[in-house]
Amino acid sequence: MKKFFIYIFIATLPMPVMAQDDQNGQSQQSPLNIQASKKWLLLPVKNGVKREKVVLYHGNEQLRSFDIELTNEAPDWYAYLDISEWKGKSLKLDVKTEANMSKALSMIQQSDKEKDAKTLYHEKKRAQFHFSPKRGWNNDPNGLVYYKGEYHLFFQHNPYGVEWGNMHWGHAVSKDLVHWKEVGEALYPDSFGTMFSGSAVVDKNNTSTLGKGSRVPMVLFYTAEGSWIQGLAYSTDGREFKKLKNPVVSKFTDGNRDPKVIWHEPSKKWVMVVYVELEGKQHTMHFLTSPNLKDWETSSIVKGGIDNDRYLFECPEFYQLEVEGNPDIKKWILTGANSEYAIGTFDGEEFTPEQEKLNGQHGRDFYAAQTFNNEPKGRRIEIGWWRTHTGGDGNNFNQSMSIPMEIKLLETSDGLRIARQPVEELKELRKKHHIFEDSEINDGKAFQFKNIKSDLLEIHTKFTSITSNQIELSIKGVKAIYYVKTETLSIDGVDAHLPLTSNGLDLTIYVDRTGLEIFAQNGVFFMPVNINIDGNNKDINLTVKGGSIHATSEVYELKSIWK
């Protein structure tokens, strides 16, 4: 059977698409053109139907190519394809399919306005103080950097579907790490492949010569999936990005990816860490150096796990921290996507681990975390991909990020360990404050946190004088159970060892519609648990079994970050 190629003419209003018979008697859709006049093409999507290949052309030049669940039925949502840079030009849209998509094509329209603006961020499963994209799928955070007065969060993004695919670099900015504004796609797939993860730096000294006069460049590094090269793009305004003639680093092996780039002041060189799988399924982090961000040489290799042992597997992060309370001691931290990490020394070319395979988090589906380069206060701020359960139900988005957290290096009884705490800026979201004074809670009696109305919460609770066998904190139907004898915290089937201290047990819990993030032991213990929470359930209560405890708590109701 012949394939049918579909061309679309689009004005301000959708145009009907008519089918014709070719000379063989087979149905063929008429070629139609687009006279680009507005910012977006709106493409009808129905989650779960067959994906079709769509290609946008100007003349014979291919501008965009992607897979999309284009539908002839009533759409679940519309994907927004930005065509603003080609206003006034004649474009063609090809749907590479044997199916008749005339009804789908008749629903496509141009628009300068977001027609779903009134419903965006109000969706039932939308996290209210965790970043998620307006539409489509997201996974890894990429290129976290502070530049020109803004925190820039790039992220793996499929703008055309709520499942993984079509990897772009989405782009959002914030003045305060809390309220985010999405500003469009920064990097699109090209002839080298789709845009996999990477990092961003600010080239203050213009070592790359990519700056223009006084305009300091932001430089992005990414992996092009398929060709497996490391590419470079740059910007002098934080909005428009131009790719350098790539690659800047050629392929090591299939699947090498996720370049993390930093400036190493003592050696006056740039350092890149990239994940490479060697023969025998050996996970490694390759270290490279460069004087100018363009010319790179391999300097050393650190080996991680093998095959299913995911230690130092993909998405490297690399940074230096001073020990809290002892600033003369500084150590380097190397992590992989699952947050396992090593602590050691670095001489500008080679990382030497001193402690390895340390567990960075104790939760579920927290992955590929990255930290901000060029943070203005000198803090080490981290955001991770949080695999929230937000698909289905005709949703126009899927997945989200963790809250931003400050990382510090603490001396513990087990040695040096990284610790996370929610950033101070999150306090801006606090509104109503509830204090629950020291109360003795005995076996069989429930203590209720009364008059709490919000489904967005920040909870601080401290348990002392513990003689019970079990402590159960029920938050909107989600049970956080602490087993005293085994010192185990259990939430929705996720179990983690959390030792008591001489002062008992302190917990800080952030509650959003998509789950809980729990902090303890001054942040050394971090336990994110993704679970959809019933916003209609306002009950929070505390019970014990086999003894008693004393509990002191305070709860802040929080505001949404979305306007």
Side-chain angles (χ1 to χ4, degrees), residues 272-286:
M272 176 189 292
V273 188
V274 62
Y275 167 74
V276 180
E277 182 182 301
L278 298 180
E279 290 185 10
K281 297 186 178 180
Q282 170 74 64
H283 306 310
T284 74
M285 298 300 186
H286 279 43

Side-chain angles (χ1 to χ4, degrees), residues 56-77:
L56 181 70
Y57 293 98
H58 173 53
N60 293 323
E61 180 188 2
Q62 179 176 303
L63 304 176
R64 300 284 182 257
S65 176
F66 52 89
D67 297 324
I68 184 171
E69 293 161 314
L70 201 64
T71 183
N72 285 318
E73 306 172 37
D76 289 329
W77 57 285

